Amino acid sequence: MKITDLKCAVIGNHPVVRISTNEGIYGIGQAEFYKPFLKPQILQLREAILGADPTDVERVMLRIRQRGGNKPFGSAVSVIEMALWDIAGKAANLPVHKLLGGKVRDKLRVYNGGIRFPLNGYRPEDYADDMRKMMALPEGFTMIKQPIAFHCAMKEVVPGYHYGEHAGAGPHGILERGKITEKGLRHTIDCVEAMKEVAGETVGIALDCGPGWMFSDALRFARGVEHLDLLWLEDLISGDYTPWSDTDLYRDLTTATSSPIHTGEQIYLRNNYKPLIEARAVDVIGPDPADVGGLAELKWIAEYADLHGIMMAPHGTANGLIGLAALIQVSATLPANFIAFEYPIAVPEWWAEIVTGLPETIVKDGFVDVLTAPGLGVDLIPEAAERYLNDDDADFFK
């Protein structure tokens, strides 16, 4: 089998990859809806993989892996790797998890980071109300992640929140930093306590905190919420779109608090995870299969993290429904350090109409079932998807 073509279409802001072969088998992959600008980068990799056997996934990846980088520039390589596994699974008539070593669980816990309601404000009562709404969702999530502080408008809406300069409008993930005021820190803790009072012991709470915190503020906050038994505090210092990891600072923070510390969605490849893991710099890591280098890369990182006592909560809220299938396939194979993965949502909602292979009810009581169809287990419906193609992508399915 040989690769004969690679195409990329932007469908509903998601860059979608379709790799064709001389045997009529094709594979698909999907990047976040925040990244429509990736299309040219993806297409630049086309010539490097033409003629290769797509079922030799690692051999193909050796041709292109060095062309990626930390988020968002690892996505082009990562979604191609997804599509290669899709082809390999279809060729073997097996789901991808069988090719990655087989599943160790039949259903997977997911956490809600994407199904959101407009906040009425950024007061404790607003966060409490939002928690009630998310706990009432039919998906029955047992874990919910809430953006606070530098990861939401709290830093701008709450007067005198921090001493830094506001970054203003900019691209997704723009970094804003500054020392948080005493008032701002107290306000943040009050909001978390309000959510915890609603959730009780029924639902676990994780916080997406930044990045942007100064170390001293991050430490005061982590210690200030220790009594709330949170799942984790994510990206306090760096993370998200920062092209560095701050291993030393995270190590100092993690060893100084009992609040679980989390980072890693921006990191590309095991090589860049190695220092973080070997230093045991955090308690939880969150690689994204659409950023870290793909499914096999994520599994290797999970196993290495397990050897060092670090837990796994893969990122993926904006990865779409093909990305959901990819997360299901790899998460089914992960060791016992797997906690849950971030549930990707259909954005726009019509994505649910152009993908086949998912059950009508995807999440039940906070869990999703492992997909068993060959490849990733899902596919695009050409006649449904074509209406959403841009003019320059009209030949995507041909």
Side-chain angles (χ1 to χ4, degrees), residues 109-131:
R109 191 185 302 273
V110 294
Y111 72 86
N112 180 29
I115 302 178
R116 294 290 170 196
F117 300 92
L119 282 171
N120 294 321
Y122 291 87
R123 303 165 300 174
E125 55 265 38
D126 299 319
Y127 278 91
D129 182 58
D130 193 52
M131 181 58 62

Side-chain angles (χ1 to χ4, degrees), residues 313-380:
H315 180 270
T317 184
N319 290 1
L321 300 185
I322 301 170
L324 167 61
L327 274 161
I328 289 173
Q329 294 294 341
V330 68
S331 296
T333 73
L334 300 185
N337 63 337
F338 171 76
I339 303 171
F341 71 77
E342 188 172 27
Y343 177 58
I345 57 175
V347 177
E349 290 184 0
W350 48 254
W351 259 96
E353 302 169 7
I354 68 173
V355 172
T356 184
L358 292 167
E360 184 175 348
T361 301
I362 300 174
V363 183
K364 300 176 183 177
D365 299 323
F367 286 84
V368 298
D369 291 328
V370 175
L371 301 174
T372 57
L376 292 178
V378 300
D379 205 350
L380 287 167

Side-chain angles (χ1 to χ4, degrees), residues 193-379:
E193 289 177 337
M195 287 189 286
K196 180 65 176 179
E197 186 174 352
V198 172
E201 297 179 355
T202 304
V203 170
I205 299 174
L207 301 177
D208 208 343
C209 303
W213 294 65
M214 299 301 178
F215 178 85
S216 59
D217 293 335
L219 179 56
R220 286 193 298 153
F221 177 67
R223 288 177 171 172
V225 295
E226 285 179 341
H227 64 291
L228 300 177
D229 293 321
L230 301 174
L231 291 170
W232 63 75
L233 308 181
E234 184 171 334
D235 290 347
L236 278 162
I237 299 169
S238 55
D240 205 12
Y241 279 81
T242 58
W244 59 84
S245 302
D246 285 323
T247 296
D248 53 345
L249 293 179
Y250 271 117
R251 170 66 176 172
D252 290 346
L253 177 62
T254 297
T255 55
T257 179
S258 63
S259 291
I261 305 301
H262 173 303
T263 196
E265 74 181 67
Q266 85 282 13
I267 299 175
Y268 177 64
L269 296 185
R270 67 190 69 178
N271 314 64
N272 295 313
Y273 258 107
K274 185 173 178 284
L276 197 74
I277 292 172
E278 291 183 346
R280 296 197 71 252
V282 291
D283 302 291
V284 188
I285 54 173
D288 188 319
D291 284 299
V292 78
L295 307 186
E297 198 71 18
L298 188 147
K299 183 178 181 184
W300 187 97
I301 291 165
E303 291 175 338
Y304 198 53
D306 191 34
L307 295 178
H308 291 78
I310 296 172
M311 293 176 287
M312 280 286 295
H315 180 270
T317 184
N319 290 1
L321 300 185
I322 301 170
L324 167 61
L327 274 161
I328 289 173
Q329 294 294 341
V330 68
S331 296
T333 73
L334 300 185
N337 63 337
F338 171 76
I339 303 171
F341 71 77
E342 188 172 27
Y343 177 58
I345 57 175
V347 177
E349 290 184 0
W350 48 254
W351 259 96
E353 302 169 7
I354 68 173
V355 172
T356 184
L358 292 167
E360 184 175 348
T361 301
I362 300 174
V363 183
K364 300 176 183 177
D365 299 323
F367 286 84
V368 298
D369 291 328
V370 175
L371 301 174
T372 57
L376 292 178
V378 300
D379 205 350

